[in-house]
Amino acid sequence: MDRRIDPPFWSQPPTRRTPVKHLVSFLLVFLLAAPSALACTTTITGKDASADGSVLVSHSDDGLSDARMVYVPPMDHKPGSKRAVFYSHDALGFKPEWGGTETQRLVTDTRGPGYTNPKLAQSVPLGYIPQVAHTYGYFDANYGLVNEHGLAIGECTDKAKVHPQPDPDKRIFYSAELSRVALERCTTAREAVELMGQLIEQYGYYGTGETLLVADKDEGWVFEMCGYDMEGAGGVWVAQRVPDDGFFVAANEFRIRKIRKDAPDMLYSKNVFDIARKKGWWKPADGALDWAKTYSGGEFHHPYYSLRRVWRAQSLVAPSLKLPAWVDGPFTTAYPFAITPDQKLDVEDIAAIHRDNYEGTEFDLTKGLAAGPFGNPNRFEGHGEAVSDGSLSSVKGAFERPLNIYRCVYSYVTQCRGTMPAGIGTVIWFAPDRPATAVLMPFYAGALNLPESVQTADALVYNEKSMWTAFNYVANYAMLKYSYMIKDIHALRDTFEAAALGGQKELEAKAAALWNDGKEHEAQALLTEYSDKNAAKVLAAWWELSHDLYIKYNDGYVNTKGDLGEPVFYPAWWLKKVDYPDGPLHYEKSAN
């Protein structure tokens, strides 16, 4: 397979400098916009830690941005072709000079029908790299997800010490485009890590620090990267293999610690030690270079913004470890790089992690005055998630940051199994919008396309043909009476997930029989049709659910046949907190 990287061949953007007409909008966006995926959580489960021997990769993309999962087909390219590298909104916020829109990450004719939009201006490349003769088909979102050969990727944003701006002459890659090039050209996790590392070293890196989880049917790697100088032309990176019996989680802070030279389970950029020494961030006398401590800026926003999620995820899969919820600082060693689960994990276990609101712990977001009378776990951040750490309140403080968050645009769990051909053995269980109120729907890596409903989404457009709109609509409505409505939502969600998980073995057996009989296209068509029909049923059922919730909980009552207008009052504890006992019970003014 041709993965070569020739010397840089740079594009000539429309102008080398930002056009004057964009200056005002550029400055406004720079000051006010935040990277759209600044709060992701991502996990890897090794093949010996999973219930079915698969390597599991998961990711929740936590920023109100582009919610589409797009199918990018395999393509053949003429000799001498160049591959455009586009700016990613997730790096440093939306920058209009590089095209796209606030809700549409790419507009280009070079990545298949999913990104073609004649009504919008084309995205402007930051630069080009040499194209290969053939690129693989894959599912794409704000980051590449999974390709036809069973290579899967997860992601989270990290706070580095330096977040350089893109520069066509020096820095053209962010993790999003790195992940896509890897899916286009690679079939194994290690191959993908090595390729992305080469691209950083040759073409430069901009934006925030990043963690990409890269997995295939055999192994999973944690690949972390960042810039090191606002005007520098390169980047630094390190990768560590997750043990086969291990579970790994990252939540917006670098998780790789000491770099062990020549260790078989570690890879790193050749400049990682020299840069740290030149910057004065580390010296050999300090001992082994601690990657996170050397190159990280710690946690975003406030203490435990990241660490609480790491604690919770590890505690859910290995409660026997009795990990401490409180630690001595952002670079604690209390939470190991990887842990061995108490019991082997499956897709539902991993999904439950992303759906968690700290229920049953001292941090339970369904409890207390902030949850209101009906246990709403959602806590709006007041712009606290912005890079600038701007706030919309003069009151200093913070809420706990959960694994399940209101501004998640999608989450998924990818199963990578080696017991079948990759197109069948690799399946992504994709859930638009926030994890706790969405349905995991299976889409196979060998599919010929994706349903239009999951390839259509725009946070600024109400569209009943969009799966994301349906889930987001119900999730927002549920906040009116969460403890009641969440039961209705989960009942329908569980019905669909049980059917999909329960029918998985039979469906895959039929597809494998066709595949092994030389009828690969028929097998792909079977899987594609199944996912299409399942998605159509989910979409129709979710809109019907929205109507049912409206009727059932209209005007604060519980309305059912034979019992219209059943009163639902507030709990006593909440009434006392909001001074209900001091209400107008007498004609005289209260002494309070």
Side-chain angles (χ1 to χ4, degrees):
M1 182 184 63
D2 183 5
R3 297 191 296 107
R4 65 188 173 83
I5 310 171
D6 292 342
F9 176 88
W10 303 110
S11 70
Q12 209 44 244
T15 59
R16 283 289 309 279
R17 297 180 180 178
T18 305
V20 173
K21 65 180 181 180
H22 289 319
L23 281 177
V24 173
S25 59
F26 172 81
L27 290 172
L28 182 63
V29 169
F30 178 77
L31 290 171
L32 298 181
S36 55
L38 202 68
C40 305
T41 306
T42 188
T43 77
I44 280 185
T45 302
K47 62 184 179 181
D48 293 339
S50 68
D52 63 354
S54 62
V55 179
L56 300 171
V57 177
S58 72
H59 174 203
S60 61
D61 195 308
D62 298 340
L64 187 60
S65 58
D66 193 336
R68 297 174 294 165
M69 179 167 66
V70 172
Y71 175 67
V72 179
M75 301 181 195
D76 293 317
H77 308 279
K78 296 179 180 179
S81 297
K82 300 295 178 180
R83 188 217 188 262
V85 178
F86 295 106
Y87 172 73
S88 171
H89 301 168
D90 295 304
L92 295 165
F94 173 57
K95 295 180 182 292
E97 67 270 29
W98 297 112
T101 73
E102 290 173 289
T103 60
Q104 307 293 290
R105 56 185 167 259
L106 286 176
V107 183
T108 177
D109 297 329
T110 65
R111 308 247 177 120
Y115 285 126
T116 301
N117 191 330
K119 296 180 181 179
L120 298 175
Q122 294 277 300
S123 295
V124 179
L126 273 168
Y128 293 89
I129 63 173
Q131 185 57 282
V132 294
H134 179 77
T135 49
Y136 305 131
Y138 62 101
F139 301 162
D140 191 30
N142 290 320
Y143 306 83
L145 306 183
V146 63
N147 74 7
E148 62 181 292
H149 292 285
L151 178 64
I153 293 178
E155 181 275 344
C156 77
T157 302
D158 306 309
K159 186 178 182 181
K161 288 183 176 177
V162 178
H163 293 170
Q165 294 291 320
D167 186 322
D169 287 329
K170 294 181 179 179
R171 299 175 295 275
I172 69 169
F173 269 108
Y174 184 62
S175 63
E177 284 285 76
L178 286 172
S179 67
R180 293 172 185 132
V181 175
L183 293 178
E184 291 167 6
R185 303 184 181 192
C186 301
T187 60
T188 70
R190 184 177 182 121
E191 182 183 26
V193 167
E194 291 174 343
L195 174 60
M196 291 188 290
Q198 292 171 32
L199 291 170
I200 289 173
E201 292 171 14
Q202 189 162 354
Y203 294 94
Y205 182 86
Y206 69 90
T208 61
E210 278 285 293
T211 295
L212 290 180
L213 303 189
V214 192
D216 56 35
K217 61 184 175 56
D218 295 315
E219 62 179 1
W221 285 79
V222 180
F223 177 65
E224 297 189 326
M225 71 211 80
C226 64
Y228 56 81
D229 191 292
M230 289 299 288
E231 299 302 323
V236 288
W237 62 271
V238 63
Q240 184 170 348
R241 190 183 186 278
V242 177
D244 290 340
D245 65 349
F247 169 82
F248 170 90
V249 59
N252 303 124
E253 187 178 19
F254 288 146
R255 294 275 287 120
I256 296 175
R257 302 304 298 265
K258 292 183 178 181
I259 298 179
R260 292 169 282 112
K261 293 184 178 181
D262 302 318
D265 63 339
M266 296 200 84
L267 299 168
Y268 44 85
S269 58
K270 38 188 192 228
N271 65 347
V272 70
F273 299 105
D274 288 342
I275 293 299
R277 188 167 51 246
K278 289 177 182 177
K279 289 287 183 181
W281 298 339
W282 168 84
K283 55 184 180 295
D286 296 334
L289 189 150
D290 185 323
W291 162 261
K293 207 168 185 180
T294 301
Y295 285 101
S296 173
E299 297 189 75
F300 278 114
H301 318 313
H302 60 75
Y304 298 105
Y305 183 86
S306 302
L307 291 175
R308 191 75 76 217
R309 282 176 282 156
V310 172
W311 164 80
R312 181 57 168 163
Q314 290 191 341
S315 296
L316 284 170
V317 304
S320 63
L321 294 179
K322 300 187 185 306
L323 295 168
W326 303 94
V327 293
D328 57 3
F331 302 111
T332 179
T333 57
Y335 309 131
F337 172 76
I339 60 171
T340 302
D342 287 353
Q343 297 179 342
K344 295 197 174 186
L345 306 172
D346 59 22
V347 169
E348 293 171 287
D349 295 324
I350 302 302
I353 292 170
H354 288 278
R355 289 168 169 166
D356 186 76
N357 297 295
Y358 302 124
E359 287 93 343
T361 75
E362 63 182 294
F363 314 110
D364 193 337
L365 293 173
T366 65
K367 306 294 183 183
L369 189 60
F374 304 117
N376 179 9
N378 298 291
R379 302 287 187 274
F380 305 129
E381 295 163 307
H383 204 55
E385 70 275 22
V387 164
S388 61
D389 288 321
S391 175
L392 299 182
S393 174
S394 60
V395 179
K396 294 189 181 298
F399 288 117
E400 290 287 350
R401 196 306 197 186
L403 288 141
N404 174 69
I405 197 166
Y406 66 93
R407 55 183 167 83
C408 179
V409 289
Y410 60 79
S411 65
Y412 60 84
V413 182
T414 303
Q415 251 178 320
C416 304
R417 296 165 294 172
T419 54
M420 292 168 279
I424 305 170
T426 302
V427 55
I428 183 169
W429 296 84
F430 187 79
D433 200 56
R434 64 205 73 175
T437 51
V439 174
L440 293 170
M441 296 173 286
F443 301 97
Y444 286 83
L448 301 170
N449 207 336
L450 288 167
E452 193 62 28
S453 61
V454 301
Q455 297 194 79
T456 302
D458 191 321
L460 296 176
V461 177
Y462 176 83
N463 185 351
E464 293 192 357
K465 295 181 179 179
S466 165
M467 190 76 73
W468 180 83
T469 303
F471 282 115
N472 185 258
Y473 185 95
V474 168
N476 273 274
Y477 191 72
M479 287 192 280
L480 289 173
K481 201 177 260 22
Y482 189 88
S483 60
Y484 285 79
M485 294 191 201
I486 197 65
K487 295 175 183 176
D488 298 273
I489 293 170
H490 284 177
L492 185 59
R493 179 198 74 187
D494 293 349
T495 298
F496 276 109
E497 291 185 357
L501 289 162
Q504 186 179 8
K505 187 175 181 179
E506 182 181 356
L507 171 69
E508 292 170 355
K510 291 179 180 178
L514 289 169
W515 198 290
N516 294 333
D517 197 32
K519 301 176 181 178
E520 293 184 14
H521 186 82
E522 291 182 34
Q524 290 176 290
L526 173 69
L527 297 172
T528 305
E529 182 182 18
Y530 168 79
S531 294
D532 284 353
K533 288 182 177 179
N534 182 66
K537 290 177 183 177
V538 171
L539 181 63
W542 228 252
W543 282 121
E544 185 177 350
L545 174 63
S546 75
H547 304 157
D548 292 344
L549 293 175
Y550 166 73
I551 296 297
K552 185 175 181 180
Y553 299 103
N554 192 24
D555 288 339
Y557 298 110
V558 175
N559 303 297
T560 56
K561 287 183 179 180
D563 198 358
L564 181 66
E566 178 187 354
V568 176
F569 204 50
Y570 304 106
W573 70 267
W574 188 83
L575 290 171
K576 293 176 182 177
K577 289 283 188 180
V578 296
D579 299 327
Y580 178 79
D582 296 326
L585 300 178
H586 309 282
Y587 283 100
E588 298 82 10
K589 183 178 180 179
S590 171
N592 295 333

